[in-house]
Amino acid sequence: MLSNRKLLLKLNEISVHNLRRKHKPDHWSVVRKKVQPVDKALDHFDEFYGPIFGKKWSEIRAGLLSKQKYVAVVNNYGNAPETCEHLELKGALNVRKLFQLEKDYIEERYSKSKRLRNLLRIWQMDRSTEIDSENGSLDSQKDEKVQSFSIAESLKVAALDKDRIFDARETKSSELLLEFVPATEIKGNEDYIPEFSYNYCDENSDMTVRIEREFDIHFPENLNVYSYGVENDEPFDSPLRDQTDVYNYYLMDGGSIFPVLALDLRPNNTFLDMCAAPGGKSLTALQTLYPSVITSNDISKSRVDRIYNVYRQFLFDFDEKFLRNGRIIISRRDGRDISDAGFDRILVDVPCTTDRHSLKENDNNIFKPSRIKERLRLPELQSDLLYNALQLVKEGGIVVYSTCSLSPIQNDGVVHMTLKRIWEENKKEIVVKDLSPALLMARCLFKLASPKMMKYGHLVLPTRAQSFGPTYFCKLQRIK
Ligand code: SAM
């Protein structure tokens, strides 16, 4: 027999237990106790990215958690001049024009710094000649050389011409400007990528990768992209329908323009967007008016439906004018199994940990315990997709690999693993295009990771002032 006191305690326990069970799963006390996928994602990023980005991590983290910044891609299949005017009246900046201004500015500064360096060289030669002369060792030939340089005169002019003096502090990109020198590099077995659960780094491998610097990014004349300036996080109004019922612009993360620009699309290119849904980058590529055929592919039925929707919202009479005549092809295939080769350009915008989304939405979050295996297998899938794209692109054609993750494994790690596989097979020759010099002009609007941090590609970093990205992109060209 239980004493009264024990009975009371037992009843109390039962009632507390029942009370707890009464709470619905969305009750605050239940929600508070449960570790949500967004929390898991943040813990993972702190643990993984903290040591990689060091002191910069807190700013990148704040950027990731802040409101995502969009750009507006003008629909050329609607009333484009009116849309541009409307966006400009709202205070948005045309990104192509902004990049061009920044590029002119950098070039001007660079040529001034080059002039100064030449003058310095002359001055040094002059000094050494004078010293030689004082020592009585000047031969007649040297004397002639000194005459022809007219060093003293040059120096007088230089002293007066303040315009020739290059102040590295005047440009944000001074450190990079000094590296603004054409070069072809061979990178080899020193490769090291910070690893977490994967180990792609093979320090004993004698693999070599050809990396070529590029000094320009072609921004197609017809591609009009608008953004608000740095530290202006004003959102764009929702797009409007015009007289033909198509939307006037498409809103997407500003970082997403880079994979499309890196494709270096040219008139009459055939273009495969291997993982295309919902279709933002396919639509942006179409807005260049260059591709003769765009194939927008995705593996998922529901997401392929979203591609149809996007095209129908932006292209008048889409089925008749684009689908039926084969200008746009929408397919539902596993990108690893696509076998029709010969594309001029391929975008491999792979499924990834979608870092920003993983910190915001619990639904369908890749950090859910039920998706652990899928998450851990992402790099393999990403590499297989990239590998197939490099098989399908034609000789001289370009493949761009991209993610919306900060993970060095999913980014440079996947590129490394895929290049290694191709190198071992020794059938194709791939060159990595280092766009760092060309991307100097983008630094007026975007925060890009230092090239020193990157092996192959480029990374748009989110910050509070410029909350674009993350977007990783790597441009690869098939040579043979
Ligand atoms: N490029 C898109 C855009 O800009 O609108 C976003 C692409 S999203 C990052 C990745 C896409 O890859 C998802 O739509 C997903 O369904 C698709 N995907 C996943 N596995 C795939 C596979 N094996 N083959 C093709 N697509 C795949």
Side-chain angles (χ1 to χ4, degrees):
M1 277 280 284
L2 287 170
S3 70
N4 279 354
R5 202 171 152 268
K6 276 189 181 159
L7 193 67
L8 255 173
L9 278 173
K10 192 86 193 158
L11 280 171
N12 197 25
E13 220 174 73
I14 292 166
S15 61
V16 168
H17 183 70
N18 284 346
L19 252 179
R20 273 204 199 114
R21 284 185 56 200
K22 265 186 207 154
H23 291 321
K24 289 186 180 151
D26 59 350
H27 185 270
W28 66 269
S29 59
V30 178
V31 172
R32 199 180 60 176
K33 275 190 204 102
K34 204 170 148 200
V35 179
Q36 300 293 321
V38 290
D39 307 319
K40 286 211 168 98
L42 191 56
D43 284 350
H44 175 87
F45 294 157
D46 280 337
E47 196 179 341
F48 186 23
Y49 297 154
I52 293 166
F53 294 100
K55 277 189 273 173
K56 290 185 182 133
W57 171 236
S58 65
E59 184 53 36
I60 299 169
R61 185 187 200 266
L64 261 186
L65 289 165
S66 64
K67 201 169 66 181
Q68 186 173 21
K69 192 163 170 174
Y70 288 91
V71 292
V73 180
V74 173
N75 185 11
N76 283 318
Y77 297 87
N79 190 341
E82 195 181 284
T83 309
C84 292
E85 202 185 318
H86 165 78
L87 290 166
E88 278 161 26
L89 280 173
K90 290 263 171 190
L93 309 163
N94 185 315
V95 177
R96 178 168 38 77
K97 291 180 185 165
L98 197 67
F99 282 7
Q100 187 56 50
L101 278 174
E102 184 71 5
K103 194 173 142 197
D104 293 346
Y105 174 77
I106 291 168
E107 273 169 8
E108 194 192 321
R109 289 286 150 197
Y110 174 61
S111 62
K112 279 178 188 165
S113 81
K114 207 166 128 189
R115 281 208 301 272
L116 182 68
R117 264 188 246 161
N118 284 342
L119 277 171
L120 271 174
R121 211 172 300 137
I122 295 167
W123 180 76
Q124 276 160 354
M125 284 174 73
D126 189 28
R127 285 281 307 264
S128 59
T129 316
E130 275 171 14
I131 292 161
D132 281 352
S133 169
E134 280 160 17
N135 292 341
S137 62
L138 188 72
D139 60 33
S140 57
Q141 209 185 348
K142 272 186 183 165
D143 208 17
E144 255 182 358
K145 226 175 184 176
V146 173
Q147 294 283 319
S148 64
F149 276 123
S150 65
I151 300 146
E153 284 306 306
S154 303
L155 268 174
K156 263 187 231 155
V157 176
L160 290 171
D161 187 359
K162 291 209 176 72
D163 231 26
R164 293 186 178 201
I165 298 167
F166 171 71
D167 184 354
R169 288 165 303 180
E170 280 181 34
T171 168
K172 286 170 260 162
S173 328
S174 56
E175 179 196 314
L176 286 152
L177 265 180
L178 299 175
E179 295 171 14
F180 209 64
V181 186
T184 296
E185 291 175 15
I186 302 284
K187 289 209 176 181
N189 50 13
E190 86 285 7
D191 285 310
Y192 174 75
I193 296 144
E195 306 295 351
F196 196 53
S197 47
Y198 287 82
N199 182 17
Y200 300 129
C201 143
D202 179 359
E203 284 171 46
N204 297 322
S205 155
D206 55 353
M207 165 187 162
T208 55
V209 180
R210 232 176 97 195
I211 301 184
E212 285 176 5
R213 282 192 181 161
E214 289 209 338
F215 291 81
D216 206 6
I217 290 189
H218 174 58
F219 204 127
E221 194 57 32
N222 291 306
L223 183 60
N224 286 302
V225 180
Y226 282 85
S227 168
Y228 289 111
V230 176
E231 289 193 358
N232 181 350
D233 62 357
E234 191 183 331
F236 281 100
D237 295 334
S238 298
L240 298 170
R241 302 242 188 207
D242 75 0
Q243 298 91 323
T244 54
D245 211 30
V246 295
Y247 279 123
N248 54 352
Y249 51 77
Y250 183 84
L251 293 177
M252 64 178 189
D253 186 304
S256 298
I257 63 166
F258 288 103
V260 180
L261 292 179
L263 281 166
D264 195 10
L265 286 158
R266 299 290 162 163
N268 296 318
N269 275 169
T270 52
F271 167 49
L272 166 66
D273 192 353
M274 198 177 247
C275 309
K281 297 189 186 76
S282 283
L283 187 73
T284 307
L286 181 73
Q287 297 302 335
T288 65
L289 308 184
Y290 284 162
S292 54
V293 182
I294 294 185
T295 306
S296 301
N297 175 75
D298 204 277
I299 196 171
S300 145
K301 156 97 179 65
S302 62
R303 291 183 65 86
V304 165
D305 290 344
R306 290 181 67 185
I307 305 179
Y308 277 105
N309 284 344
V310 166
Y311 277 135
R312 286 190 181 122
Q313 285 168 346
F314 284 83
L315 305 173
F316 174 68
D317 207 3
F318 171 66
D319 292 49
E320 194 56 45
K321 296 218 171 83
F322 293 88
L323 268 187
R324 211 150 288 162
N325 69 11
R327 172 117 195 259
I328 291 178
I329 298 166
I330 300 180
S331 63
R332 190 186 147 208
R333 282 177 286 175
D334 185 326
R336 293 169 292 187
D337 299 336
I338 297 177
S339 54
D340 31 335
F343 294 96
D344 295 303
R345 303 286 187 267
I346 303 182
L347 177 62
V348 194
D349 189 34
V350 290
C352 65
T353 43
T354 53
D355 294 2
R356 191 187 278 274
H357 177 83
S358 297
L359 292 176
K360 298 255 159 83
E361 292 281 332
N362 282 317
D363 272 359
N364 202 28
N365 192 310
I366 190 88
F367 286 87
K368 270 185 170 179
S370 57
R371 296 187 71 187
I372 282 182
K373 269 193 190 155
E374 185 189 345
R375 178 158 61 83
L376 294 179
R377 283 193 190 132
L378 275 174
E380 262 112 315
L381 169 63
Q382 293 161 340
S383 174
D384 288 347
L385 288 163
L386 175 57
Y387 177 84
N388 197 32
L390 290 166
Q391 308 302 310
L392 301 180
V393 76
K394 63 162 66 156
E395 248 179 56
I398 290 162
V399 172
V400 171
Y401 171 79
S402 61
T403 75
C404 49
S405 170
L406 293 164
S407 160
I409 295 163
Q410 296 173 59
N411 297 340
D412 278 346
V414 165
V415 174
H416 181 82
M417 184 165 73
T418 314
L419 290 175
K420 186 164 181 274
R421 192 167 153 198
I422 288 181
W423 181 81
E424 278 163 359
E425 287 168 2
N426 203 15
K427 283 186 199 142
K428 306 239 169 352
E429 199 181 320
I430 310 292
V431 171
V432 177
K433 299 289 186 169
D434 174 7
L435 301 172
S436 313
L439 286 168
L440 283 173
M441 64 180 178
R443 289 176 181 260
C444 58
L445 195 59
F446 294 89
K447 173 85 186 145
L448 285 139
S450 159
K452 286 179 200 138
M453 270 202 83
M454 311 299 296
K455 278 279 167 207
Y456 304 115
H458 311 276
L459 184 60
V460 177
L461 295 171
T463 63
R464 274 171 290 200
Q466 293 140 293
S467 192
F468 296 120
T471 307
Y472 170 87
F473 56 102
C474 181
K475 177 177 177 182
L476 303 148
Q477 185 170 32
R478 184 181 150 198
I479 302 300
K480 269 200 319 212

Short mmCIF file of all heavy atoms in Angstrom, two decimals, residues 273-281 297-300 303 333-336 349-351 381 385, ligand 1:
data_model
loop_
_atom_site.label_atom_id
_atom_site.label_comp_id
_atom_site.label_asym_id
_atom_site.label_seq_id
_atom_site.Cartn_x
_atom_site.Cartn_y
_atom_site.Cartn_z
N ASP A 273 21.85 23.88 -69.38
CA ASP A 273 21.78 24.19 -67.95
C ASP A 273 21.40 22.86 -67.28
O ASP A 273 20.24 22.45 -67.32
CB ASP A 273 20.72 25.28 -67.73
CG ASP A 273 20.78 25.87 -66.33
OD1 ASP A 273 21.54 25.35 -65.49
OD2 ASP A 273 20.05 26.86 -66.08
N MET A 274 22.42 22.20 -66.72
CA MET A 274 22.24 20.81 -66.30
C MET A 274 21.31 20.64 -65.10
O MET A 274 20.58 19.66 -65.00
CB MET A 274 23.63 20.23 -65.97
CG MET A 274 23.67 18.75 -65.93
SD MET A 274 25.36 18.20 -65.61
CE MET A 274 25.76 17.44 -67.16
N CYS A 275 21.37 21.57 -64.16
CA CYS A 275 20.51 21.53 -62.96
C CYS A 275 19.79 22.87 -62.91
O CYS A 275 20.22 23.78 -62.21
CB CYS A 275 21.36 21.34 -61.70
SG CYS A 275 22.53 19.97 -61.79
N ALA A 276 18.74 23.00 -63.69
CA ALA A 276 18.26 24.34 -64.04
C ALA A 276 17.16 24.90 -63.14
O ALA A 276 16.97 26.12 -63.10
CB ALA A 276 17.75 24.34 -65.48
N ALA A 277 16.42 24.04 -62.45
CA ALA A 277 15.23 24.53 -61.73
C ALA A 277 15.58 25.42 -60.55
O ALA A 277 16.57 25.14 -59.87
CB ALA A 277 14.41 23.34 -61.26
N PRO A 278 14.84 26.50 -60.29
CA PRO A 278 13.60 26.91 -60.97
C PRO A 278 13.80 27.61 -62.31
O PRO A 278 12.82 27.91 -62.99
CB PRO A 278 12.96 27.86 -59.96
CG PRO A 278 14.11 28.42 -59.19
CD PRO A 278 15.15 27.34 -59.11
N GLY A 279 15.02 27.92 -62.70
CA GLY A 279 15.23 28.43 -64.05
C GLY A 279 15.81 29.84 -64.12
O GLY A 279 15.92 30.41 -65.21
N GLY A 280 16.21 30.40 -62.97
CA GLY A 280 16.71 31.78 -62.95
C GLY A 280 17.92 31.99 -63.84
O GLY A 280 18.00 32.98 -64.57
N LYS A 281 18.87 31.04 -63.81
CA LYS A 281 20.10 31.26 -64.59
C LYS A 281 19.84 30.98 -66.07
O LYS A 281 20.42 31.64 -66.93
CB LYS A 281 21.24 30.42 -64.03
CG LYS A 281 21.57 30.86 -62.59
CD LYS A 281 22.80 30.25 -62.03
CE LYS A 281 22.98 30.62 -60.57
NZ LYS A 281 22.08 29.88 -59.65
N ASN A 297 17.53 21.59 -67.94
CA ASN A 297 17.29 20.24 -67.44
C ASN A 297 17.22 20.24 -65.91
O ASN A 297 17.91 21.01 -65.24
CB ASN A 297 18.43 19.32 -67.90
CG ASN A 297 18.31 17.93 -67.32
OD1 ASN A 297 17.46 17.15 -67.75
ND2 ASN A 297 19.11 17.63 -66.31
N ASP A 298 16.44 19.34 -65.37
CA ASP A 298 16.47 19.10 -63.92
C ASP A 298 15.95 17.68 -63.69
O ASP A 298 15.23 17.13 -64.50
CB ASP A 298 15.60 20.12 -63.16
CG ASP A 298 16.04 20.28 -61.72
OD1 ASP A 298 15.63 19.45 -60.87
OD2 ASP A 298 16.80 21.22 -61.42
N ILE A 299 16.34 17.13 -62.53
CA ILE A 299 15.96 15.74 -62.25
C ILE A 299 14.55 15.64 -61.67
O ILE A 299 13.88 14.61 -61.80
CB ILE A 299 16.99 15.09 -61.29
CG1 ILE A 299 16.86 13.59 -61.29
CG2 ILE A 299 16.89 15.66 -59.88
CD1 ILE A 299 17.98 12.87 -60.53
N SER A 300 14.10 16.72 -61.03
CA SER A 300 12.87 16.62 -60.25
C SER A 300 11.66 17.09 -61.03
O SER A 300 11.67 18.17 -61.63
CB SER A 300 13.05 17.44 -58.97
OG SER A 300 11.86 18.04 -58.58
N ARG A 303 10.15 20.34 -59.82
CA ARG A 303 11.02 21.48 -60.13
C ARG A 303 11.08 21.76 -61.63
O ARG A 303 11.22 22.91 -62.04
CB ARG A 303 12.41 21.28 -59.52
CG ARG A 303 12.31 21.38 -57.97
CD ARG A 303 13.61 21.26 -57.28
NE ARG A 303 14.56 22.33 -57.54
CZ ARG A 303 14.61 23.50 -56.88
NH1 ARG A 303 13.76 23.75 -55.92
NH2 ARG A 303 15.53 24.41 -57.19
N ARG A 333 15.98 14.87 -66.68
CA ARG A 333 16.93 13.75 -66.66
C ARG A 333 17.90 13.92 -65.50
O ARG A 333 18.12 15.04 -65.02
CB ARG A 333 17.73 13.72 -67.97
CG ARG A 333 16.96 13.14 -69.14
CD ARG A 333 17.77 13.20 -70.42
NE ARG A 333 17.85 14.56 -70.94
CZ ARG A 333 18.56 14.91 -72.00
NH1 ARG A 333 19.28 14.00 -72.65
NH2 ARG A 333 18.59 16.15 -72.42
N ASP A 334 18.48 12.81 -65.12
CA ASP A 334 19.59 12.88 -64.16
C ASP A 334 20.78 13.43 -64.96
O ASP A 334 21.16 12.83 -65.98
CB ASP A 334 19.88 11.48 -63.60
CG ASP A 334 20.94 11.53 -62.50
OD1 ASP A 334 21.86 12.36 -62.59
OD2 ASP A 334 20.84 10.73 -61.56
N GLY A 335 21.34 14.54 -64.50
CA GLY A 335 22.44 15.17 -65.24
C GLY A 335 23.61 14.23 -65.48
O GLY A 335 24.35 14.39 -66.45
N ARG A 336 23.75 13.24 -64.61
CA ARG A 336 24.86 12.29 -64.77
C ARG A 336 24.66 11.37 -65.96
O ARG A 336 25.59 10.76 -66.46
CB ARG A 336 25.01 11.44 -63.49
CG ARG A 336 25.46 12.24 -62.30
CD ARG A 336 25.35 11.47 -61.03
NE ARG A 336 23.96 11.19 -60.65
CZ ARG A 336 23.57 10.65 -59.51
NH1 ARG A 336 24.48 10.31 -58.61
NH2 ARG A 336 22.29 10.45 -59.24
N ASP A 349 25.08 23.97 -62.02
CA ASP A 349 24.73 24.69 -60.78
C ASP A 349 24.13 23.65 -59.83
O ASP A 349 22.92 23.47 -59.76
CB ASP A 349 23.71 25.79 -61.13
CG ASP A 349 23.44 26.73 -59.97
OD1 ASP A 349 24.36 27.00 -59.18
OD2 ASP A 349 22.29 27.20 -59.85
N VAL A 350 25.01 22.99 -59.11
CA VAL A 350 24.66 21.72 -58.45
C VAL A 350 23.79 21.87 -57.19
O VAL A 350 23.80 22.93 -56.56
CB VAL A 350 25.96 20.97 -58.03
CG1 VAL A 350 26.68 20.45 -59.24
CG2 VAL A 350 26.85 21.87 -57.18
N PRO A 351 23.11 20.78 -56.82
CA PRO A 351 22.47 20.77 -55.49
C PRO A 351 23.58 20.83 -54.45
O PRO A 351 24.62 20.20 -54.61
CB PRO A 351 21.74 19.43 -55.45
CG PRO A 351 22.41 18.58 -56.46
CD PRO A 351 22.94 19.50 -57.52
N LEU A 381 28.01 13.43 -55.74
CA LEU A 381 27.02 13.76 -56.77
C LEU A 381 27.49 14.98 -57.57
O LEU A 381 27.45 14.99 -58.81
CB LEU A 381 25.66 14.03 -56.09
CG LEU A 381 24.56 14.63 -56.96
CD1 LEU A 381 24.18 13.67 -58.10
CD2 LEU A 381 23.31 14.96 -56.14
N LEU A 385 28.32 15.09 -61.60
CA LEU A 385 27.63 16.00 -62.53
C LEU A 385 28.66 16.83 -63.31
O LEU A 385 28.57 16.95 -64.54
CB LEU A 385 26.68 16.93 -61.76
CG LEU A 385 25.41 16.26 -61.21
CD1 LEU A 385 24.74 17.12 -60.14
CD2 LEU A 385 24.41 15.96 -62.33
N1 SAM B 1 20.24 26.72 -61.50
C1 SAM B 1 19.02 26.91 -60.74
C2 SAM B 1 18.62 28.36 -60.82
O1 SAM B 1 19.49 29.22 -60.89
O2 SAM B 1 17.43 28.66 -60.81
C3 SAM B 1 19.16 26.40 -59.32
C4 SAM B 1 19.60 24.96 -59.26
S1 SAM B 1 19.52 24.26 -57.67
C5 SAM B 1 20.87 24.93 -56.91
C6 SAM B 1 20.00 22.61 -57.96
C7 SAM B 1 19.02 21.80 -58.76
O3 SAM B 1 19.65 20.55 -59.08
C8 SAM B 1 17.72 21.43 -58.06
O4 SAM B 1 16.65 21.94 -58.78
C9 SAM B 1 17.70 19.90 -58.10
O5 SAM B 1 16.42 19.38 -58.37
C10 SAM B 1 18.64 19.60 -59.24
N2 SAM B 1 19.30 18.27 -59.21
C11 SAM B 1 19.63 17.51 -58.15
N3 SAM B 1 20.22 16.37 -58.54
C12 SAM B 1 20.26 16.41 -59.89
C13 SAM B 1 20.75 15.50 -60.88
N4 SAM B 1 21.31 14.35 -60.55
N5 SAM B 1 20.61 15.85 -62.17
C14 SAM B 1 20.02 17.04 -62.51
N6 SAM B 1 19.55 17.92 -61.62
C15 SAM B 1 19.68 17.61 -60.32
#
